[in-house]
Amino acid sequence: MTSSTPPDLALQSLCSPLTPHRATEFETPVKLGVLASGSGSNFEAIAQAIAQQHLSARVEVLIYNNPQAKVAVRSQQYDIPAKLLNHRDYASREGLDRAIVDVLRSYNVELVVMAGWMRVVTPVLLDAFPNRVLNIHPSLLPSFKGIRAVEQAIAAGVKITGCTAHWVVPEVDSGEILVQAAVPVLADDTPDSLHARIQVQEHRAIVTAIALATAQIRGVWTPS
Ligand code: GAR
């Protein structure tokens, strides 16, 4: 039955979005496919939350697009299958997304998480997984969409920025927001120092967003 009241796990997440919780809400772990391009600290936050039973999920497959991406090493450490789909091997964004969809379907993925995926996705992916694709972005959306969001925040002179976990729609960084966390901008911040503090919050926000998204998918919670 659908309820406008979040289940305990999600309620805890909403009231204290940065506090880890126990993964008691869902008997069947949600099957995740993670897309990542770089270091993979968000991928590791998801894998750790699962290992520590803070999140009822399984990462069925990691897809990465850059042969040098450190995220591939992290996936080995967690024994998670990893598939390299190098975007340079595809003539179009749609071609890459078709290959992504094939891999995700072959692993019966229920929820797709863009955890530092630096490619614009197309309706080929979004139509195959309607309302099933999440993204984490290093700003308080709708501010500072697109690339170099941390640099954009510093250049704009804002005193507070942060991160946003949201559903993905065709327009970049524009889908419904699930979780946000604020981070102060310090006077002596560089893009690297600020990004490092934002990432601490991302690692919590992405786990909470997966829990909330799962509650929505399972029909036990609808956002009011
Ligand atoms: C994260 O900060 C994420 O928000 C950002 O890439 C970083 C990946 O870090 N994503 C975007 O900018 C997407 N627009 P990670 O590889 O350590 O998880």
Side-chain angles (χ1 to χ4, degrees):
M1 194 172 68
T2 300
S3 157
S4 60
T5 307
D8 285 351
L9 175 152
L11 181 62
Q12 204 178 32
S13 302
L14 287 172
C15 295
S16 178
L18 306 183
T19 305
H21 36 64
R22 276 195 304 278
T24 53
E25 192 63 32
F26 308 112
E27 285 178 13
T28 311
V30 65
K31 295 178 182 177
L32 303 178
V34 177
L35 310 185
S37 299
S39 152
S41 68
N42 280 284
F43 168 84
E44 180 144 5
I46 296 166
Q48 266 182 10
I50 294 170
Q52 294 167 359
Q53 298 189 309
H54 293 155
L55 181 66
S56 181
R58 252 179 74 94
V59 181
E60 300 292 335
V61 64
L62 163 73
I63 296 174
Y64 64 108
N65 65 308
N66 173 2
Q68 269 77 51
K70 199 175 146 200
V71 68
V73 178
R74 298 195 203 244
S75 72
Q76 285 169 3
Q77 289 162 354
Y78 286 88
D79 218 9
I80 292 170
K83 299 281 179 196
L84 170 63
L85 296 178
N86 189 334
H87 60 278
R88 296 168 193 85
D89 296 339
Y90 298 86
S92 64
R93 292 189 193 282
E94 287 78 8
L96 173 64
D97 282 1
R98 266 189 289 276
I100 292 171
V101 168
D102 287 348
V103 172
L104 295 173
R105 283 192 172 144
S106 73
Y107 282 89
N108 294 316
V109 162
E110 296 175 89
L111 178 64
V112 183
V113 184
M114 292 165 49
W117 182 246
M118 297 309 196
R119 309 294 305 169
V120 173
V121 296
T122 71
V124 170
L125 173 63
L126 299 178
D127 291 350
F129 290 89
N131 303 313
R132 296 289 172 98
V133 184
L134 294 180
N135 182 43
I136 184 85
H137 183 76
S139 77
L140 290 175
L141 291 172
S143 293
F144 313 129
K145 297 177 179 181
I147 60 168
R148 301 192 181 283
V150 180
E151 286 88 337
Q152 288 184 55
I154 290 176
V158 296
K159 301 301 178 200
I160 296 175
T161 184
C163 62
T164 304
H166 64 95
W167 290 110
V168 177
V169 295
E171 194 187 337
V172 171
D173 298 330
S174 297
E176 187 187 341
I177 291 168
L178 275 164
V179 179
Q180 289 188 306
V183 175
V185 182
L186 306 180
D188 58 353
D189 258 332
T190 63
D192 283 350
S193 66
L194 179 54
H195 198 183
R197 291 203 312 287
I198 291 172
Q199 285 206 307
V200 172
Q201 303 309 323
E202 286 186 340
H203 300 160
R204 297 169 176 183
I206 199 164
V207 170
T208 300
I210 292 168
L212 289 174
T214 304
Q216 270 185 259
I217 289 172
R218 298 276 158 89
V220 293
W221 174 63
T222 48
S224 50

